[in-house]
């Protein structure tokens, strides 16, 4: 029988007998690299940088972990323990792109999706057994799709609450699936070392061990007053977690109210072609994200920071909501031209944003033919970019950026190779 859905508040389900899935990709950064370069599969691989440089391991393949390597370890130590490992610098845009595709797959399975980090999410799957036969089969289907489309392995935990689902996915790694039946939460957690319980960091673990507590079960039967005397209010939460009790709901992220992108130039500039090309690139990124969310915008805002750090924003309301790169860019360019005519200082940062977002309910066939062609073109470009990465396509206006590498507001380098995979 399906559980009763009592009510909805801001996309959060209030349900009796919830079923929650925790999905976490295995050795994420490394696995993305292995999918791109299959020669690396089955080998010790480290993403983080070259071993002769300072820095730490970001992700280690399970083959490398067998030599004692783990995230956070200095690269020099990793190289000493496992000199035969392949060390890779890594590419954040690549991992972000893989993450977006991962989340899109999960969203196809349940709208009650809470991304936790790039490679980790909770799904509320209460009641979904009627679609997939069982929640276990649903998890198998999710794993299969991730494998088929991204060539990545996911580990999945299924339980009645978040904390148990998370511990289960972690314990099932790599490429695992662990289903903890309702009622077995405590007995599942009890024999595990306390370090496995989310919320217990190195410091808490030490304090507990000093009190003779080494397993989650021992923590679960400690008097609550004793736990609270050690850890205050967070002690109460830990105690509940240790008993497999966790009332936290799966909370989908709040809807975006605005989308923006900005770039700081390596050197302040007054060069119009460069400013225009950068504005075009940023407009394409904003437009692409807007379409990804299925939204259109009524308002476009240009942001400029001058050499003396004075920052201005200029806004224009569109007559009709739009998700077209061209409209965002044209509006931004008008605002830029006005601003440049009023202020002669070189520009340090340029940004473009959209706001007053509405659902893009408009059908293609309702647009006039030129708008229709533009919308179709944007969608075709989006599909290619989703597959090969944003910089896989260069539009004429952005070609000028080929040799310039400004740092974007997101903290990565703006690249313009023909194929960035
Ligand atoms: N990460 C990082 N630095 C860390 C920990 C993680 O840069 N100290 C990055 C690299 C990881 C990604 O975040 O690939 C996900 O982190 P996880 O802790 O989930 O680790 P992995 O996915 O690499 O391995 P696991 O199979 O244990 O999940
Ligand atoms: Ca992971």
């Amino acid at each position: 029988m399906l559980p009763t859905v009592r009510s909805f508040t801001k996309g959060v389900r209030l349900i009796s007998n919830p079923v929650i899935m925790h999905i976490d990709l295995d050795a994420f950064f490394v696995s993305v690299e292995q999918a791109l370069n299959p020669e690396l599969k089955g080998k010790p691989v480290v993403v983080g940088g070259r071993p002769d440089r300072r820095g730490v391991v970001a992700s280690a393949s399970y083959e490398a972990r067998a030599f004692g390597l783990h995230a956070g370890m200095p690269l020099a130590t990793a190289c000493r323990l496992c000199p035969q490992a392949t060390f890779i610098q890594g590419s954040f845009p690549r991992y972000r792109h893989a993450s977006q595709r991962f989340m899109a797959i999960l969203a196809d399975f349940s709208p009650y999706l809470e991304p936790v980090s790039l490679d980790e999410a909770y799904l509320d799957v209460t009641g979904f057994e009627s679609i997939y036969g069982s929640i276990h089969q649903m998890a198998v289907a999710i794993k299969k799709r991730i494998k088929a489309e991204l060539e990545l392995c996911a580990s999945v935990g299924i339980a009645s609450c978040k904390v148990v689902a998370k511990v289960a996915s972690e314990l099932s790694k790599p490429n695992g699936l662990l289903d903890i039946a309702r009622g077995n939460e405590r007995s599942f957690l009890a024999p595990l070392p306390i370090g496995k319980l989310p919320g217990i960091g190195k410091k808490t673990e030490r304090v507990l061990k000093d009190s003779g507590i080494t397993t989650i079960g021992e923590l679960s039967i400690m008097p609550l007053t004793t736990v609270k005397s050690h850890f205050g209010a967070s002690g109460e939460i830990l105690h509940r977690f240790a008993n497999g009790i966790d009332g936290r709901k799966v909370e989908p992220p709040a809807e975006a109210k605005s989308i923006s992108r900005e770039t700081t130039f390596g050197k302040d500039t007054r060069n119009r072609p460069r400013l225009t090309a950068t504005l075009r690139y940023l407009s394409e990124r904003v437009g692409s994200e807007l379409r990804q969310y299925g939204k259109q915008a009524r308002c476009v805002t240009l942001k400029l920071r001058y050499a003396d750090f004075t920052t201005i924003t200029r806004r224009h309301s569109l007559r009709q909501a739009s998700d077209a790169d061209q409209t965002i860019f044209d509006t931004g360019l008008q605002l830029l031209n006005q601003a440049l005519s009023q202020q002669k200082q070189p520009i340090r940062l340029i940004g473009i944003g959209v706001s007053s977002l509405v659902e893009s309910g408009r059908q293609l066939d309702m647009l006039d033919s030129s708008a229709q062609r533009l919308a179709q073109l944007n969608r075709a470009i989006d599909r290619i970019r989703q597959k090969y990465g944003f910089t896989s396509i260069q539009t004429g206006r952005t070609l000028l950026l080929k040799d310039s590498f400004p740092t974007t507001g997101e903290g990565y380098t703006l690249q313009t190779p023909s194929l960035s995979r």
Side-chain angles (χ1 to χ4, degrees):
M1 204 180 75
L2 286 181
T4 337
V5 177
R6 290 210 302 268
S7 60
F8 295 84
T9 54
K10 281 198 288 181
V12 179
R13 296 172 102 194
L14 298 176
I15 289 175
S16 50
N17 295 339
V19 185
I20 291 169
M21 213 183 259
H22 180 260
I23 307 107
D24 188 302
L25 298 174
D26 298 335
F28 177 45
F29 288 8
V30 161
S31 304
V32 171
E33 300 297 338
Q34 287 172 325
L36 283 170
N37 181 2
E39 276 181 15
L40 296 174
K41 285 185 183 169
K43 294 184 181 161
V45 178
V46 168
V47 170
R50 283 183 20 206
D52 57 340
R53 300 269 170 86
R54 281 150 58 105
V56 296
V57 173
S59 178
S61 67
Y62 281 76
E63 291 77 10
R65 290 181 206 194
F67 291 85
L69 274 58
H70 57 78
M73 173 183 273
L75 288 167
T77 314
C79 185
R80 209 175 53 244
L81 292 173
C82 187
Q84 67 273 43
T86 306
F87 289 84
I88 299 171
Q89 183 72 46
S91 147
F92 188 73
R94 205 143 61 205
Y95 309 139
R96 207 173 58 127
H97 179 61
S99 170
Q100 284 169 347
R101 294 182 64 195
F102 165 58
M103 296 299 172
I105 291 175
L106 298 184
D108 272 354
F109 282 87
S110 166
Y112 310 106
L113 165 68
E114 180 183 334
V116 180
S117 66
L118 281 180
D119 76 330
E120 182 189 351
Y122 289 103
L123 273 188
D124 183 331
V125 293
T126 315
F128 281 67
E129 53 273 54
S130 55
I131 305 173
Y132 296 95
S134 71
I135 298 299
H136 190 96
Q137 279 173 276
M138 180 180 181
V140 171
I142 291 175
K143 280 163 66 75
K144 268 193 187 155
R145 249 192 85 183
I146 293 169
K147 186 77 194 165
E149 292 179 26
L150 306 180
E151 291 181 64
L152 299 176
C153 283
S155 293
V156 180
I158 303 167
S160 63
C161 65
K162 277 181 161 179
V163 71
V164 178
K166 178 160 169 82
V167 175
S169 76
E170 174 69 31
L171 208 69
S172 77
K173 277 177 175 295
N175 198 15
L177 168 50
L178 200 52
D179 189 348
I180 309 303
R182 189 176 302 280
N184 292 351
E185 295 84 356
R186 273 190 86 202
S187 57
F188 161 66
L189 294 175
L192 302 175
I194 41 167
K196 293 273 179 212
L197 194 67
I200 297 199
K202 287 280 167 245
K203 204 170 141 204
T204 311
E205 188 177 356
R206 212 172 318 114
V207 175
L208 285 169
K209 282 189 172 159
D210 287 348
S211 319
I213 305 293
T214 58
T215 66
I216 298 179
E218 286 161 358
L219 174 60
S220 75
I221 55 173
M222 252 179 116
L224 179 58
T225 44
T226 317
V227 189
K228 277 171 85 172
S229 71
H230 278 304
F231 307 111
S234 60
E236 189 166 352
I237 298 170
L238 285 184
H239 196 258
R240 281 164 168 274
F241 281 6
N243 281 282
I245 301 166
D246 178 6
R248 291 173 302 158
K249 308 283 177 234
V250 172
E251 298 200 37
E255 286 215 359
K257 289 197 168 60
S258 64
I259 297 171
S260 63
R261 284 283 188 282
E262 61 186 44
T263 293
T264 302
F265 294 103
K267 215 173 133 206
D268 300 346
T269 184
R270 246 192 238 109
N271 180 312
R272 262 185 201 250
R274 168 145 307 164
L275 286 165
T276 307
T278 307
L279 183 66
R280 174 72 204 193
Y281 173 83
L282 298 171
S283 301
E284 288 177 15
R285 291 224 76 127
V286 168
S288 158
E289 195 169 330
L290 201 51
R291 293 187 293 278
Q292 205 178 313
Y293 288 128
K295 300 277 188 189
Q296 294 188 332
R298 288 194 188 281
C299 208
V300 177
T301 304
L302 175 82
K303 177 175 168 183
L304 294 176
R305 180 166 299 144
Y306 295 104
D308 68 355
F309 278 81
T310 318
T311 306
I312 61 152
T313 55
R314 296 286 178 266
R315 173 178 296 204
H316 180 82
S317 292
L318 301 172
R319 268 209 304 270
Q320 212 169 29
S322 171
D323 62 6
D325 300 346
Q326 190 67 40
T327 308
I328 300 168
F329 170 68
D330 287 344
T331 313
L333 189 59
Q334 259 179 34
L335 296 170
L336 176 67
N337 287 335
Q338 282 163 18
L340 290 179
S341 67
Q342 289 159 5
Q343 172 61 266
K344 304 293 175 212
Q345 268 200 74
I347 288 170
R348 179 181 166 77
L349 170 151
I350 184 167
I352 187 93
V354 292
S355 55
S356 301
L357 307 187
V358 293
E359 294 295 327
S360 70
R362 222 156 45 143
Q363 296 300 309
L364 271 185
D365 55 11
M366 287 170 66
L367 303 175
D368 65 49
S369 62
S370 63
Q372 203 177 77
R373 271 202 307 279
L374 204 59
Q376 279 165 346
L377 178 68
N378 278 329
R379 276 164 186 73
I381 291 176
D382 288 344
R383 276 196 296 278
I384 296 169
R385 282 176 164 163
Q386 258 164 27
K387 200 158 174 202
Y388 297 109
F390 194 87
T391 48
S392 60
I393 288 194
Q394 289 287 291
T395 53
R397 290 270 199 177
T398 62
L399 275 175
L400 187 96
L401 296 175
K402 212 167 178 329
D403 302 318
S404 75
F405 294 86
T407 303
T408 73
E410 298 166 294
Y412 64 85
T413 304
L414 198 157
Q415 299 170 0
T416 53
S418 54
L419 259 180
S420 71
R421 263 162 59 99

